[in-house]
């Protein structure tokens, strides 16, 4: 084998390996980006109506109990933040607190953070949706929000929940909201159901503690799937690399115009 042939084959292998290496690098970066791209939060309603009777206790008692039962099962799958509204002031539509940022290991923290929460305020759900969406960086990242709320006075703060969630959806990268409604009356359902349907989320109408627990399990399972889904975009397919057909055809005649000239049959392009 001539020296020119060896050099040519080495160059060909190098040229072929570069697109493969770049594709592998791009795949690794895309995978890392997707894994880091999902955020989750739980909105917890602590407005005064959560003191209303529900099942064998109050809506608040049932909500805390169901969360204590369900959240630990998703401790390793879901980085869940916590946003609470209506728990500090009686008549403040902006009584909204981000108690926990989305991060791993929040299961035990959520139960502890809710232990001292008491229902007393008004239902500022629309404003809370905005604050929770900002907390999960909904404009730049895939995000999910699970809402546990009742519908009593849902629009008392004069901010339309359906219009609010539609605006957030349009502004988002990929925002999905799941909603578990506690003790909701028939006439109140549309004000909550639109929140889930507008974003492709799941809506649960819980009329018992068992239905409440099942709804939370469903919402958290869907949120954890969204966190773990990889959306990988591969780079464009590289152009074919010319293949040397005749190792002896390395002698190039000078081009009268100054460019390199190839003899017929010297290079065969892959198709």
């Amino acid at each position: 084998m001539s020296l020119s042939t060896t050099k040519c084959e080495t160059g060909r292998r190098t040229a072929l390996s570069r697109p493969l290496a770049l594709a592998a690098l791009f795949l690794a970066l895309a995978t890392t980006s997707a894994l880091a791209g999902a955020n989750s939060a739980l909105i917890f309603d602590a407005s005064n109506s959560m003191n209303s009777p529900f099942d064998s206790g109050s809506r608040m008692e049932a909500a805390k109990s169901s969360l204590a039962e369900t959240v630990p099962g998703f401790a390793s799958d879901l980085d869940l933040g916590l946003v609470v509204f209506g728990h500090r002031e009686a008549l403040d539509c902006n009584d909204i607190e981000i108690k926990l940022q989305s991060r791993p290991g929040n299961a035990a923290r959520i139960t502890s953070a809710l232990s001292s929460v008491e229902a007393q305020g008004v239902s500022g759900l629309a404003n809370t949706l905005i604050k929770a969406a900002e907390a999960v960086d909904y404009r730049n990242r895939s995000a999910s929000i699970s809402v546990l709320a009742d519908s009593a006075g849902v629009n008392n703060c004069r901010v339309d929940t359906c219009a609010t969630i539609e605006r957030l959806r349009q502004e988002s990268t990929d925002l999905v909201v799941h909603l578990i409604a506690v003790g909701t009356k028939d006439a109140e359902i549309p004000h909550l159901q639109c929140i889930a349907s507008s974003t492709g989320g799941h809506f649960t109408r819980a009329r018992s503690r068992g239905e409440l627990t099942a709804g939370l399990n469903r919402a958290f399972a869907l949120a954890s799937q969204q966190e773990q889904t990889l959306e990988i975009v591969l780079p464009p397919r590289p152009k074919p690399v010319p293949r040397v057909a005749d190792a002896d055809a390395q002698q190039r005649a000078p081009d009268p115009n100054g460019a390199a000239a190839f003899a017929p049959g010297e290079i065969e392009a892959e198709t």
Side-chain angles (χ1 to χ4, degrees):
M1 181 181 294
S2 66
L3 179 60
S4 60
T5 302
T6 303
K7 289 181 177 179
C8 182
E9 288 298 320
T10 301
R12 176 172 173 262
R13 285 194 297 269
T14 301
L16 284 171
S17 65
R18 285 172 182 164
L20 294 175
L22 289 173
L25 176 61
F26 192 96
L27 180 63
L29 290 174
T31 302
T32 302
S33 176
L35 282 171
N39 248 348
S40 300
L42 168 67
I43 291 178
F44 188 87
D45 183 352
S47 61
N48 185 58
S49 57
M50 289 291 285
N51 289 316
S52 301
F54 182 81
D55 211 326
S56 59
S58 69
R59 295 175 184 176
M60 176 62 78
E61 291 169 347
K64 289 182 178 181
S65 174
S66 292
L67 280 170
E69 182 179 341
T70 55
V71 170
F74 297 91
S76 61
D77 300 324
L78 197 59
D79 301 344
L80 195 64
L82 176 63
V83 184
V84 180
F85 69 90
H87 58 303
R88 297 175 299 190
E89 302 291 337
L91 298 172
D92 187 355
C93 289
N94 291 309
D95 180 16
I96 304 164
E97 181 183 7
I98 299 176
K99 280 190 166 290
L100 296 171
Q101 293 287 352
S102 174
R103 62 174 179 172
N106 264 356
R109 299 186 187 101
I110 285 177
T111 303
S112 176
L114 288 174
S115 62
S116 60
V117 168
E118 296 182 1
Q120 60 178 316
V122 293
S123 181
L125 180 55
N127 291 337
T128 307
L129 283 167
I130 295 171
K131 194 158 187 175
E134 291 171 348
V136 296
D137 196 15
Y138 74 111
R139 290 187 178 91
N140 302 309
R141 302 175 65 177
S142 175
S144 69
I145 298 174
S146 299
V147 182
L148 196 165
D150 70 8
S151 59
V154 68
N155 286 324
N156 278 356
C157 290
R158 300 183 181 180
V159 183
D160 190 284
T161 53
C162 297
T164 298
I165 196 62
E166 179 60 23
R167 176 173 63 82
L168 293 174
R169 182 194 65 79
Q170 293 177 3
E171 295 173 349
S172 72
T173 295
D174 178 26
L175 176 64
V176 180
V177 182
H178 310 290
L179 196 139
I180 304 93
V182 187
T184 307
K185 298 178 181 178
D186 291 345
E188 298 168 337
I189 289 179
H191 299 295
L192 294 180
Q193 194 169 28
C194 66
I195 296 173
S197 60
S198 292
T199 62
H202 186 264
F203 176 82
T204 298
R205 182 183 182 183
R207 286 165 285 197
S208 68
R209 191 168 301 203
E211 291 179 349
L212 177 56
T213 300
L216 286 168
N217 271 319
R218 176 66 171 167
F220 293 154
L222 292 171
S224 64
Q225 289 174 14
Q226 185 179 349
E227 278 200 5
Q228 296 170 29
T229 298
L230 302 183
E231 297 179 0
I232 299 171
V233 180
L234 294 176
R237 184 180 178 182
K239 295 180 179 180
V241 179
R243 175 168 54 87
V244 176
D246 184 357
D248 295 328
Q250 298 299 313
Q251 300 296 325
R252 297 185 173 88
D255 186 347
N257 297 321
F262 295 86
E266 181 179 352
I267 292 181
E268 178 185 26
E270 291 185 353
T271 58

